[in-house]
Each structure stands twice: as C-alpha cells, then as structure tokens.
C-alpha cells in the first residue's frame, strides 16, 4: 500500500518561527523524487518547539534512495544558528495500511 517515514525534532533556541517560515518557503525538491507521494509538517499545540515531518512514499526503497542521495539538497534552507534539543531527533518507518 505504501511507506511512511516520520521524523521529529525539537528546537532549543527559540527559533520556532524561523523553522516554520523555512518550511513554508522550502524549495520543494522532494516533490520531484521518484516514489514521493506527499509531505505534512505538523507541530503539537502543547509543544510548539517540536516539529513532525510525515513523508509518504510509494515504497521504502524510494525513501531510502532520496534520503541517502538527495536529503542535503532539501535541507539547504535550514535557518542559520538553529539548535536542537539534544537527542530529540527521531526517524521512524511505517507501512501505510489505509487513508
């Protein structure tokens, strides 16, 4: 049915607004990746410094190809000086069952 990768991180130096703006103005390079289906970026109401990126792919192989070869291009607009809460970054993989 598909593959979903969910990454999460927490900003530690009050740059949440800059991160939100960077996501709004992102270059959209992942959209051209083979097997890419969609992206959602969300932030919990009870912790606005935390960000969740939910990417949907046709298959796991497509995600890993993009992640291993093109991820840095998509991260070129990360705000300068951004610091994350230590060990807050996680990346989890899911089989997509239904929408």
């Amino acid at each position: 049915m598909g593959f979903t990768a969910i990454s999460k991180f927490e900003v530690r130096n009050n740059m949440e607004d800059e991160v939100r703006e960077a996501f709004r103005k992102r270059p959209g390079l992942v959209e051209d990746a083979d097997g890419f289906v969609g992206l959602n970026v969300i932030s919990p109401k009870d912790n606005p410094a935390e960000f969740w990126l939910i990417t949907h792919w046709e298959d796991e192989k497509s995600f890993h190809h993009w992640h291993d070869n093109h991820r840095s291009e998509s991260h070129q607009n990360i705000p300068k000086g951004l610091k994350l809460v230590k060990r807050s970054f996680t990346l989890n993989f899911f089989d997509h069952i239904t929408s």
Side-chain angles (χ1 to χ4, degrees), residues 21-74:
E21 190 63 19
F23 277 119
R24 287 184 190 109
K25 292 183 175 180
R26 67 187 185 77
L29 300 175
V30 70
E31 279 82 352
D32 294 329
D34 288 339
F36 178 77
V37 175
L39 165 71
N40 297 100
V41 180
I42 59 176
S43 181
K45 289 281 197 181
D46 63 349
N47 186 4
E50 192 173 272
F51 293 85
W52 294 60
L53 285 71
I54 305 165
T55 57
H56 301 284
W57 299 83
E58 291 175 3
D59 54 55
E60 187 171 354
K61 181 180 176 184
S62 295
F63 167 79
H64 287 294
H65 182 287
W66 172 81
H67 190 265
D68 295 344
N69 297 292
H70 302 287
R71 177 181 50 131
S72 62
E73 297 163 5
S74 293

Side-chain angles (χ1 to χ4, degrees), residues 11 13-20 79-83:
V11 175
N13 60 338
N14 298 313
M15 293 184 68
E16 296 87 0
D17 290 340
E18 291 88 340
V19 171
R20 281 181 179 74
K80 302 288 186 235
L82 178 67
K83 298 196 184 307

